[in-house]
Amino acid sequence: MNRILFACMVMLGFTACTDDFEAINTDPNSPVAVPSSYLITQSERALVDRILGEGFAGVGTFGSHYIQHLSQTQYTDVTRYDDIRTSFYGFYNGGLVDMEKVIELNTDEATKGPISASGPNANQIALAKIIQSWAFLSMTDFWGDIPYSEALKGVENLNPAYDTQEMIYRGVVAELTAAGDMIIDGAVAGDIIFNGDMQLARKFANSLILRAATRVSDVAPDLGNEWASLAVSRGLLESNADQINLSYIGGGEFANNTFYTDFLTRTDYAISEPLVDFMAAQNDPRIPVYAQPTAASVAAGTNEYVGMIYGVTESEAGGIPVADISYPGLAFVGINAPAVLMTYAEVLFNRAEAAQRGWIDGDAGTLYAEAIAASMNQFGITDADAITAYTEQDDVAYDSDNFEQLIGEQKWVSLFMQGMEAWSEWRRLGYPELTPSTEAILINTIPTRRGYPDNEFSLNNANYLEALQRQFGTDEDKLDQRVWWDVD
């Protein structure tokens, strides 16, 4: 209701006409135009919360639990794969449509002049397209085929067709390229991801193209080659200073939702045993950053890190004292901890893989080691000798004959608390080797997608069934079906 009211205010602000009585009918204390900066802030916050949020806040929780970064301590439903469907309506009706409105206001001749108070029209459009593209990539990786080209049309199309994931990927890369080319000098107000730095937004757009390139490496390697070369030629994130975050400030509605909703007042999610054990076996110095020591060990005067057993029954999970397990570190769940959209380490891992495949110039082993170092540095670990010792271990040192496993394992560690991206990369690369829940409910393998909303069966039936048949050759919507790029 608030969004509808807000939209009405925007339209009234730009269409109200006072004819010859403008001077006496304009209240200087009641603005007739609502800045688009409000929509930009609202959209960025909404999409980040939905894509990266854990627990009740968003869909990132499925990725973080499916690839066993986190484990449940009480209600073990997600780790036991107990349901199929997740709604995507909130994406379309929330942040995506808000950004579509930003594009419309900056394109329409009747509104583009006044709305430029929030920044150059071209830059507002470019920013909106970049954020929409990031969201659409995350969504299609989550569900598979989704409405894209016919989405966000409002009452003009209440039954949008589902585009193939390949077409969505192609469309997104084209949008990111066009958006980057639109950018001119001038900041955009209300931007809480890039803080108005449009050159950083452009580098993010190009780095997303590189992410897309590596994602299609198995299903469309020629396309991956083309996109990787394109991305590198246009300029990528260059250091940890370029990390793409949404920064939270203070408390209340501007706080990190994950901190408030799931980690401050509740003890539902702990760091998982598989992750802690994997990191401990490699003497990983990031463990004290990723995890808090158990309360029992702190009380005893020692700091011990113990992961929660994964995917067990609620009775078994409930029998483990919360004081005996570790919870995510404050770097991730502190009140001002940022939500991370992309790290420099990810870009380096993607460059290493692209170089190994012969798509771009560069030494894959060097880029791989730099990626690990960037991840260490990101969390304040800067001892060069310690980092080198880590990367030179037998089970970490780069081997071109085994690059998918090595990159897959180290990327899995580095993407902690970036559930959506970590899940996608685990599905694509297949590493590390994870054991599914022994108490699984619906399927006996780790889920490879989420099902569509229940209401699509009744509200958009023909398009819904067509999408299922096209992708999976069945009318069934299941957790163990594979999206386009996830090939055996």
Side-chain angles (χ1 to χ4, degrees):
M1 181 60 70
N2 289 338
R3 187 171 287 111
I4 294 172
L5 176 61
F6 184 80
C8 292
M9 291 171 64
V10 172
M11 294 312 299
L12 285 172
F14 293 117
T15 59
C17 178
T18 55
D19 296 327
D20 296 331
F21 301 98
E22 182 174 7
I24 61 174
N25 287 335
T26 301
D27 182 354
N29 297 316
S30 299
V32 297
V34 178
S36 54
S37 58
Y38 296 172
L39 280 173
I40 291 169
T41 301
Q42 174 176 284
S43 174
E44 289 182 342
R45 175 65 186 270
L47 288 172
V48 166
D49 282 353
R50 286 194 176 277
I51 293 170
L52 298 177
E54 298 289 337
F56 303 112
V59 300
T61 190
F62 293 105
S64 290
H65 285 85
Y66 288 166
I67 48 83
Q68 302 176 23
H69 280 167
L70 299 179
S71 189
Q72 293 175 289
T73 63
Q74 300 179 64
Y75 312 108
T76 58
D77 50 347
V78 178
T79 58
R80 296 173 63 201
Y81 329 137
D82 79 321
D83 74 344
I84 297 171
R85 300 178 183 279
T86 301
S87 177
F88 51 45
Y89 298 138
F91 289 87
Y92 292 106
N93 296 333
L96 286 173
V97 77
D98 287 341
M99 282 304 190
E100 195 70 10
K101 189 64 180 179
V102 170
I103 294 170
E104 177 188 330
L105 291 170
N106 281 278
T107 304
D108 191 328
E109 292 297 330
T111 57
K112 62 187 298 185
I115 214 69
S116 65
S118 293
N121 298 127
N123 285 359
Q124 291 191 56
I125 294 170
L127 176 66
K129 288 181 177 291
I130 291 168
I131 297 301
Q132 281 185 330
S133 295
W134 168 71
F136 274 122
L137 277 183
S138 299
M139 292 167 65
T140 189
D141 289 345
F142 191 77
W143 284 283
D145 295 359
I146 56 171
Y148 176 68
S149 61
E150 295 185 8
L152 308 178
K153 305 298 184 184
V155 295
E156 294 179 12
N157 188 351
L158 297 176
N159 302 106
Y162 288 52
D163 291 85
T164 68
Q165 190 170 39
E166 178 180 356
M167 293 310 298
I168 295 167
Y169 262 69
R170 288 178 179 273
V172 161
V173 170
E175 284 281 83
L176 290 168
T177 304
D181 290 343
M182 293 180 66
I183 292 173
I184 59 175
D185 290 337
V188 173
D191 169 24
I192 55 176
I193 293 177
F194 310 105
N195 295 316
D197 184 346
M198 292 304 297
Q199 292 308 312
L200 181 59
R202 188 176 191 275
K203 287 193 283 188
F204 176 58
N206 299 334
S207 299
L208 281 175
I209 295 173
L210 181 60
R211 176 187 284 184
T214 56
R215 191 82 90 237
V216 304
S217 59
D218 290 329
V219 71
D222 290 343
L223 202 56
N225 188 347
E226 174 189 336
W227 289 348
S229 299
L230 174 67
V232 170
S233 71
R234 295 172 61 83
L236 307 169
L237 303 188
E238 299 177 72
S239 71
N240 279 334
D242 283 345
Q243 180 169 300
I244 308 301
N245 300 324
L246 186 149
S247 298
Y248 296 95
I249 54 173
E253 65 177 302
F254 297 107
N256 183 326
N257 275 356
T258 293
F259 176 86
Y260 269 134
T261 306
D262 300 303
F263 295 99
L264 176 65
T265 60
R266 304 174 66 98
T267 56
D268 296 50
Y269 301 158
I271 191 168
S272 77
E273 183 178 69
L275 178 60
V276 172
D277 289 354
F278 184 92
M279 296 178 74
Q282 295 186 338
N283 301 305
D284 197 316
R286 288 168 289 189
I287 292 179
V289 181
Y290 282 23
Q292 300 175 54
T294 67
S297 69
V298 172
T302 61
N303 284 351
E304 298 176 6
Y305 301 92
V306 180
M308 174 67 187
I309 190 171
Y310 181 83
V312 296
T313 63
E314 291 182 358
S315 60
E316 185 175 354
I320 300 174
V322 296
D324 292 343
I325 52 178
S326 293
Y327 293 87
L330 294 181
F332 301 93
V333 299
I335 194 167
N336 292 328
V340 180
L341 284 71
M342 181 176 284
T343 65
Y344 178 52
E346 182 199 331
V347 172
L348 287 169
F349 278 123
N350 289 340
R351 286 177 58 195
E353 183 174 344
Q356 181 62 56
R357 295 180 183 278
W359 294 349
I360 63 172
D361 293 334
D363 181 77
T366 299
L367 290 165
Y368 166 82
E370 289 176 353
I372 294 173
S375 179
M376 299 280 189
N377 295 165
Q378 176 187 341
F379 299 112
I381 301 166
T382 58
D383 186 328
D385 290 338
I387 295 172
T388 298
Y390 177 86
T391 59
E392 290 181 351
Q393 296 178 94
D394 289 343
D395 53 356
V396 178
Y398 192 74
D399 177 359
S400 60
D401 292 333
N402 199 27
F403 76 92
E404 289 185 325
Q405 178 176 349
L406 292 167
I407 290 176
E409 290 177 347
Q410 294 304 316
K411 186 181 270 189
W412 176 72
V413 173
S414 74
L415 288 171
F416 180 60
M417 294 296 281
Q418 292 175 255
M420 284 290 294
E421 186 60 20
W423 183 34
S424 292
E425 285 299 88
W426 177 83
R427 285 179 284 166
R428 180 178 71 88
L429 291 167
Y431 294 100
E433 296 181 358
L434 300 174
T435 302
S437 166
T438 57
E439 301 292 340
I441 296 171
L442 294 180
I443 60 173
N444 294 317
T445 57
I446 296 172
T448 46
R449 65 177 287 270
R450 289 290 295 176
Y452 297 117
D454 285 311
N455 286 346
E456 284 295 275
F457 183 83
S458 56
L459 299 179
N460 196 13
N461 182 265
N463 290 317
Y464 163 74
L465 293 178
E466 180 186 22
L468 288 174
Q469 284 287 347
R470 180 174 61 231
Q471 294 173 94
F472 315 120
T474 178
D475 290 347
E476 291 187 83
D477 208 348
K478 301 192 294 184
L479 292 173
D480 57 359
Q481 294 161 330
R482 293 177 179 267
V483 299
W484 168 64
W485 48 256
D486 183 13
V487 297
D488 291 328

